[in-house]
Amino acid sequence: MIRKITLSLGRHVSSMARGATQVRRFLHGGYVRIHPSVQEALVEGRPVVALESTIITHGMAYPLNLSMAREVEEIVRINGAVPATVGILRGQIHVGLTDEELEFLASSKNAVKVSRRDFPFVLSQGLSGGTTVSGTMIMAHKAGIPVFVTGGIGGVHRDGENTLDVSADLTELGRTPVAVVSAGVKSILDIGRTLEYLETQGVCVAAFGESREFPAFFSRQSGFQAPYHVRDEEETAKLIDSALGLGLSSGVLIAVPCPQERAAEGQAIEKAIQQALSQARSKGITGKEVTPFLLQKLTKLTDGKSLDSNLALIQNNARVGSCIAVALSKLQKARRKGSQPRRKDMTAPQPVVIGGINVDFIAKAQNSEILGGGQTNAGRVRRTFGGVGRNLADCLSRLGQAPLLLSAVGKDEHLESVLHYCHHMVSQFKENLCQAPLVCIDGNVPLSTIQYVCQLAREHQLAVCYEPTDENKASKPFLSDSWKALTYISPNLQELRAINRTLGNPLPAELPSRLEDVVQAAVALACPLLAHLHCVVVTLGAHGVLLCGKSLGGSISLYPGTHKQAAAARLCAAHYPAIPISREEIVNVSGAGDSLMAGILAGVLAKHDTGTCVRMGLLAASLSLRSYEPISPEISTSSVSQEQVKSRSWPEAKVWKMD
C-alpha cells in the first residue's frame, strides 16, 4: 500500500529528518501477509493493536484458546482500535488473522513457539507457530504498529543467576521500539532481577493506574516499585510518543495491574507457583518449555482460578492497550495537523517537491587501494537518509525555501500495482501544486503521477523541474507528450542520451570523456529538447555544469517567458567549471548533483541572475561532496548565498551558440 508522507520543511530540516527516520520498508515477498483491515488502518493512520499468538498455541487448551482470542480481538475493536494478531501459518508471517486462521492456530497440534531466533528456521521449513512477545514485537515494529498487548512478559527465571535463563522478551524490549502493555512480569519469574535487567537494557518501565507498585501478573502487588508511573491513557500516550520521537531504538513497558476483583486470589496462586516450580525442577523442564508447563500446573493446582485470573487480566490489558493506542493515534494526528502550514500564515506559496526517500548505506575504505584475494579491507559504513526528492527538499529548506515534500513508501508485496494509482496521493494537494512557484519531481515517481503533474503544469502555467534520478528512470516523462510541459530538466550525459533514445533522436556512437567532446555531445543531445523545454541543466560531475537554453546578451535565461517575445534570443550553451576539490576531501558523492540543482533553484526562487544561481549550486555541491550526509548540514542561507558568490573569485563561463 502507499503511505502518504507530507513534510512541511522550514528553515531547519530537523522536522523532515524525524519524519524520514520513521519511514521504514516492511518485508516484501512471500514471507509476510498483512490483513487488509490492518493495512488500511495503517495507511489511514488509525490505531492498531498488535497481539501475540503463543497464548493461543501454547497458553491454553482448545477451544478455550480460540474463544479467548476472539474475545480479545473484539475488546480491541469495541475500544476503537484494529486488532492485529501476529502468527505464522505454513511458513508465512501474518500480521492480522482471519477467523479461520485463528482457528487453525488454536487447533494446531504442532505449532512452534517462535521468538527472534526461530524465524529463519520456521519460515524456511514452512512451519506454523505462535509468536512470543519478542517475535510479535519484531513484526509489529516492521509493520509500523507502535502498541502491542500481551498477558505478561517473560523475564529472568528464578535461580537465573545460576542458570542464566533470561527471556528473549527482555533483550527485545532493549532493541525494538514498541510499547508493550502487559500485566507486568509473570509471577513465576524473578521479578526483582527482571527489573534490574530491563534497566540495563535501557527500557522505560512505567506502572499504569493509581500506584507505582509493579504488578506480578496474577497479583496486583509484587513488592517492587516501577521506576515510573502513568495515571491514564493520555499520559501513557505522551510517554510512548516521546520514546518513539527520540528514536532510542528501545521499547517501553507499560505494567497494568490485574482487575481489583481478582486481587484476592493472588496469594493462593503464589503458593501454587512454588509447588509447580518444584515439580518443573524435578522433571528437568527448562528453557521455553517452563512457562507452558507452569501455567498448566497452576490451572490444576488452583482449580482453574489461575486460568480465570489469566483471562481477566488479558481482557483488561486489551481494553487498556487499545485505549492507549487510540490516545496515541489522536496525539500523533494532532501533531501532524499542527505541523501543516496554514495558508493564512504563509507569506508566499511553497515550492513543492515530489520524489523518493531512501535509507542509504555508504561504505568507504580506509586505504586508497582495495586488497583482493579475500582479504579484509578496513573502512567505515555509515547510514544516511537519501532519495532525490528528499535531497532536493532538504537542500532547498536549508536555503530558506520551506518546500512541501510529497513522498510515498511501500508497505507490502502489492507495492507495484498500487503505485500505478499514486497520482491520487498527489491530487489531494492540487491546491498546493497549482499555487506553487516551482514544482520539482524526480524519476522515482510513477509515470501516472508525472503525467498528472504535467497536466496541471499545462493548465496552470506551472514551472516544473524534472530530476531524472538515473539512466533507467530518466525517460519516464518522455514516453508521451507529458515532457513538453516541463520547464527544466537536470540530467547527466548518460541520462540525456537515454532521453534522446526514447524520443528516437540521433545518438553519439559512444560518450566522450574529454571536456570539449563532452560539451559538444551534450549540446547536440540537448538541442532537440529545447523546442519545448526552457532550460536543460546538464550535470558534468568534476567538469561542472552546462546550461543549455535561450540567451540574450550572453546570459542564458533561467526564467520562463523572459525571451518569448524577443526575436534576438538564441539557443546557447554556457559551461561553468566546478569548484576544485581534491580526491582526499571527497567523502560522499550521492547528494552532490541534488545539491547543485537545489542551489540553482533556490537562486531562481530568490530571483537572482543566472550566474549567481549556478554558482550557488556549485557552492552547495562542493559542501555536500565533503559531507558524510548526502546533503551537507553546512548548507545554509549564509554559506550558500548571493553574498558568498560575490565574495569569491570565479572563472568566466564559456558560452557557445547552439543554432
Side-chain angles (χ1 to χ4, degrees):
M1 296 294 291
I2 297 298
R3 173 179 293 169
K4 290 170 284 190
I5 301 174
T6 310
L7 300 173
S8 180
L9 300 175
R11 294 184 181 272
H12 300 285
V13 77
S14 58
S15 61
M16 187 195 71
R18 287 196 298 270
T21 58
Q22 295 182 19
V23 176
R24 59 179 69 91
R25 294 185 176 93
F26 196 26
L27 302 175
H28 298 296
Y31 288 138
V32 179
R33 175 189 174 275
I34 305 180
H35 191 280
S37 65
V38 176
Q39 209 170 61
E40 183 180 342
L42 289 171
V43 169
E44 295 176 359
R46 291 188 283 117
V48 179
V49 172
L51 301 167
E52 61 149 301
S53 51
T54 49
I55 193 169
I56 302 171
T57 57
H58 292 77
M60 297 178 185
Y62 182 81
L64 180 62
N65 56 353
L66 179 59
S67 62
M68 177 276 303
R70 288 170 173 166
E71 287 173 13
V72 169
E73 286 201 345
E74 187 58 28
I75 289 170
V76 172
R77 292 188 189 96
I78 289 171
N79 285 279
V82 175
T85 301
V86 178
I88 301 177
L89 283 77
R90 304 180 184 91
Q92 186 178 53
I93 300 166
H94 288 244
V95 180
L97 300 175
T98 65
D99 192 67
E100 291 76 14
E101 289 163 349
L102 275 176
E103 185 160 8
F104 173 83
L105 277 184
S107 58
S108 176
K109 303 293 185 184
N110 301 307
V112 182
K113 194 173 181 181
V114 183
S115 188
R116 174 180 281 267
R117 69 166 188 181
D118 309 299
F119 276 115
F121 181 79
V122 172
L123 268 58
S124 66
Q125 297 295 312
L127 304 178
S128 299
T131 52
T132 64
V133 169
S134 169
T136 307
M137 284 184 72
I138 294 169
M139 289 303 118
H141 173 55
K142 287 185 178 295
I145 303 172
V147 178
F148 159 42
V149 167
T150 183
I153 67 166
V156 178
H157 281 255
R158 300 192 185 198
D159 199 34
E161 67 274 21
N162 297 315
T163 64
L164 299 182
D165 192 352
V166 179
S167 171
D169 297 352
L170 303 188
T171 50
E172 203 62 57
L173 274 161
R175 60 184 169 184
T176 303
V178 170
V180 179
V181 179
S182 80
V185 178
K186 297 181 178 78
S187 51
I188 56 179
L189 303 171
D190 188 324
I191 295 174
R193 286 191 171 88
T194 297
L195 287 171
E196 291 287 346
Y197 197 93
L198 286 170
E199 180 185 356
T200 302
Q201 291 292 313
V203 180
C204 182
V205 179
F208 181 90
E210 299 173 356
S211 169
R212 267 187 63 194
E213 180 77 23
F214 188 80
F217 200 63
F218 295 116
S219 174
R220 293 174 65 88
Q221 297 179 329
S222 66
F224 295 92
Q225 296 283 297
Y228 301 107
H229 171 222
V230 284
R231 294 174 178 79
D232 53 30
E233 293 85 358
E234 285 71 27
E235 277 194 19
T236 310
K238 290 178 182 177
L239 172 66
I240 296 169
D241 187 56
S242 297
L244 295 174
L246 286 169
L248 298 177
S249 299
S250 54
V252 174
L253 178 62
I254 306 300
V256 182
C258 72
Q260 184 66 50
E261 59 270 21
R262 298 287 179 179
E265 298 165 357
Q267 191 173 0
I269 293 173
E270 184 60 34
K271 291 180 181 178
I273 286 172
Q274 297 299 329
Q275 188 177 346
L277 281 169
S278 177
Q279 292 183 22
R281 283 193 293 267
S282 65
K283 292 178 179 290
I285 297 172
T286 59
K288 64 181 181 180
E289 305 301 328
V290 172
T291 299
F293 172 82
L294 293 178
L295 291 175
Q296 289 176 6
K297 279 294 176 184
L298 283 176
T299 301
K300 291 182 180 179
L301 292 171
T302 60
D303 295 324
K305 289 181 181 179
S306 65
L307 181 58
D308 292 340
S309 292
N310 196 358
L311 289 169
L313 68 86
I314 292 167
Q315 293 165 356
N316 185 58
N317 290 352
R319 180 188 63 78
V320 172
S322 36
C323 290
I324 291 170
V326 169
L328 178 62
S329 177
K330 288 179 180 177
L331 181 64
Q332 292 174 335
K333 282 183 179 179
R335 186 177 61 254
R336 286 195 296 269
K337 184 177 180 181
S339 67
Q340 294 300 311
R342 297 183 180 180
R343 181 65 58 189
K344 63 182 181 181
D345 294 335
M346 292 170 56
T347 57
Q350 294 171 283
V352 176
V353 179
I354 307 168
I357 300 175
N358 299 332
V359 178
D360 297 328
F361 291 89
I362 300 170
K364 188 173 179 66
Q366 183 175 310
N367 300 316
S368 58
E369 294 185 6
I370 303 296
L371 302 176
Q375 298 181 62
T376 299
N377 289 273
R380 295 186 67 184
V381 177
R382 297 178 66 96
R383 186 189 73 172
T384 61
F385 294 104
V388 172
R390 192 218 73 90
N391 289 348
L392 286 170
D394 186 346
C395 195
L396 283 169
S397 72
R398 293 178 185 276
L399 295 174
Q401 296 302 323
L404 176 70
L405 171 61
L406 304 181
S407 189
V409 60
K411 287 296 295 180
D412 63 11
E413 66 269 25
H414 303 298
L415 169 63
E416 291 301 326
S417 61
V418 179
L419 277 177
H420 290 296
Y421 299 94
C422 190
H423 68 275
H424 297 306
M425 175 192 76
V426 181
S427 65
Q428 295 182 30
F429 298 93
K430 182 176 179 180
E431 181 183 352
N432 301 79
L433 289 168
C434 292
Q435 295 184 10
L438 175 69
V439 177
C440 299
I441 190 165
D442 74 23
N444 292 308
V445 174
L447 180 59
S448 58
T449 303
I450 294 172
Q451 291 172 336
Y452 175 80
V453 172
C454 289
Q455 178 186 340
L456 287 182
R458 281 197 189 94
E459 294 172 356
H460 299 274
Q461 290 75 54
L462 303 177
V464 179
C465 177
Y466 176 65
E467 213 302 328
T469 305
D470 64 38
E471 190 173 357
N472 294 324
K473 299 171 184 174
S475 297
K476 282 184 178 179
F478 299 87
L479 296 171
S480 68
D481 284 342
S482 295
W483 71 275
K484 295 178 181 179
L486 299 173
T487 311
Y488 315 99
I489 62 170
S490 55
N492 59 30
L493 199 58
Q494 290 81 5
E495 293 161 352
L496 189 56
R497 179 180 60 178
I499 289 168
N500 277 271
R501 183 184 295 116
T502 299
L503 293 174
N505 296 330
L507 301 176
E510 57 183 40
L511 293 180
S513 56
R514 202 167 60 96
L515 176 58
E516 292 78 5
D517 298 331
V518 167
V519 170
Q520 186 177 354
V523 166
L525 291 169
C527 193
L529 306 181
L530 291 169
H532 298 281
L533 302 180
H534 182 73
C535 186
V536 177
V537 182
V538 187
T539 58
L540 303 177
H543 290 312
V545 60
L546 184 75
L547 258 62
C548 301
K550 293 177 182 177
S551 172
L552 186 62
S555 177
I556 292 176
S557 167
L558 287 173
Y559 299 94
T562 305
H563 297 312
K564 281 185 177 178
Q565 306 302 322
R570 307 189 63 170
L571 290 181
C572 289
H575 175 248
Y576 294 80
I579 297 173
I581 301 177
S582 67
R583 181 179 177 182
E584 291 72 23
E585 291 179 283
I586 297 174
V587 295
N588 185 359
V589 298
S590 65
D594 301 331
S595 299
L596 170 70
M597 199 59 202
I600 293 173
L601 294 175
V604 170
L605 290 166
K607 303 191 184 310
H608 296 319
D609 63 84
T610 298
T612 299
C613 293
V614 175
R615 285 160 181 147
M616 284 175 62
L618 293 171
L619 282 172
S622 68
L623 289 171
S624 289
L625 285 169
R626 295 180 173 94
S627 170
Y628 283 104
E629 301 296 326
I631 302 300
S632 171
E634 299 298 317
I635 293 174
S636 68
T637 53
S638 58
S639 63
V640 178
S641 64
Q642 186 178 35
E643 292 72 23
Q644 278 292 326
V645 170
K646 289 180 177 178
S647 69
R648 296 175 65 107
S649 176
W650 298 89
E652 282 293 322
K654 188 173 181 180
V655 180
W656 294 267
K657 294 178 182 178
M658 296 178 64
D659 49 8

